[in-house]
Amino acid sequence: MQIKDYPLITALSNDDLLLVQTASDDAFKSLKVSDLKSYIGVSSSSGSGSGSVTSYPSGMALLLDGGSLIDKSGNSRNASPIGDNSPLPATGIDGKKVLRWNGSGNQELQVTDFLDGTTGATLYCVYSVTGTGNYNLVRTYALDDYWHFIDGNGYIGTFQNVRHEAYPPSMPNSGNHLISIHASSTSYEVVLDTISKGSQSSSYASGDRFRIGTNDKSFSGDIALLLVYPQYVQPNSTSDLGVRNSIKSAYPSLSI
């Protein structure tokens, strides 16, 4: 039967089946629409074709969400695994697709460095922790830095050329959280959920890399959202609250 003999389909549901031909052996196999969406990083929820149901304030440099390595900021800064292994798409917070790290210490991702020449940056990350050990979710410089160390504190170095000692204090080893990092030429502040960890006097450094879920810290948990703006966004400013409101609408169970 020729393709023209099939009726034209203008809408598909997530449970519909597609007939696909594999390149390796020319065999035909069935594939659910929902599985195809997950594979290419498009949300199965209603929303825009980009896969991001939530609309975040404009000007972002990087947007990873929906359990996908595809950058949805429009800048084509897709993530890729450092080695042979990658975090896998899974269902996580509020039933949303996430990227899941299993604690094996071999699932680190990289994005080509994109902050060179900037004078500040702000990062928002929705993540879930299932292990009680060390983790470092974003590294931008060759530092031995931690978002969480076994003593419960962070020794963070994201957007810095030296790590902070015992800062941020009291970082989580369980649960779902939003962390935001606000770095400028004169100050550095981490906000966890709604609590500021205090402002530090330090100078922003754009770094020479952008690594996610670094192998040396063996993260066990999920990253649901990673959103970066290439400028300083002041905590509790109108711009910051706009981002937070968008995140809250996407992940309503967050305590923010």
Side-chain angles (χ1 to χ4, degrees):
M1 183 179 290
Q2 300 297 315
I3 293 177
K4 65 180 181 181
D5 295 326
Y6 289 101
L8 179 65
I9 299 175
T10 58
L12 293 170
S13 71
N14 290 323
D15 291 327
D16 285 336
L17 294 176
L18 301 175
L19 191 64
V20 297
Q21 187 176 16
T22 58
S24 58
D25 55 10
D26 288 332
F28 285 92
K29 299 178 181 179
S30 62
L31 177 67
K32 287 181 67 173
V33 170
S34 59
D35 292 335
L36 176 62
K37 288 180 176 180
S38 176
Y39 179 76
I40 64 176
V42 175
S43 172
S44 293
S45 304
S46 60
S48 68
S50 69
S52 291
V53 176
T54 302
S55 177
Y56 296 100
S58 62
M60 65 193 73
L62 178 70
L63 169 58
L64 299 177
D65 72 350
S68 173
L69 303 184
I70 304 300
D71 173 28
K72 299 169 188 171
S73 71
N75 296 303
S76 300
R77 295 177 175 129
N78 301 334
S80 60
I82 292 291
D84 295 332
N85 300 297
S86 173
L88 297 176
T91 300
I93 178 174
D94 294 317
K96 301 294 180 66
K97 289 292 184 181
V98 299
L99 289 172
R100 179 157 294 167
W101 276 255
N102 61 19
S104 60
N106 63 0
Q107 296 172 287
E108 182 173 343
L109 300 175
Q110 62 182 344
V111 175
T112 301
D113 180 36
F114 57 92
L115 292 171
D116 187 41
T118 57
T119 59
T122 306
L123 177 150
Y124 300 86
C125 180
V126 175
Y127 72 106
S128 305
V129 189
T130 56
T132 59
N134 304 326
Y135 61 84
N136 183 25
L137 299 192
V138 175
R139 174 174 289 155
T140 55
Y141 204 78
L143 301 174
D144 183 28
D145 49 337
Y146 302 76
W147 281 20
H148 176 272
F149 187 59
I150 54 174
D151 66 1
N153 299 312
Y155 291 76
I156 199 166
T158 309
F159 304 143
Q160 303 283 273
N161 56 18
V162 294
R163 75 180 191 183
H164 291 270
E165 298 299 314
Y167 177 87
S170 303
M171 290 294 284
N173 59 14
S174 63
N176 304 317
H177 301 278
L178 167 64
I179 187 174
S180 61
I181 301 172
H182 308 256
S184 76
S185 60
T186 59
S187 67
Y188 188 89
E189 185 170 353
V190 172
V191 180
L192 181 68
D193 299 322
T194 61
I195 306 299
S196 171
K197 295 297 185 176
S199 180
Q200 307 293 301
S201 296
S202 63
S203 181
Y204 167 75
S206 61
D208 59 5
R209 68 199 66 198
F210 197 92
R211 303 293 178 84
I212 305 168
T214 60
N215 285 342
D216 60 334
K217 302 301 184 270
S218 302
F219 176 55
S220 180
D222 303 336
I223 294 180
L225 170 70
L226 189 58
L227 176 62
V228 180
Y229 288 89
Q231 66 272 334
Y232 173 71
V233 177
Q234 183 176 340
N236 294 316
S237 66
T238 300
S239 296
D240 178 57
L241 294 177
V243 177
R244 288 177 170 274
N245 288 338
S246 295
I247 293 173
K248 180 66 172 179
S249 69
Y251 306 99
S253 67
L254 284 173
S255 298
I256 61 174

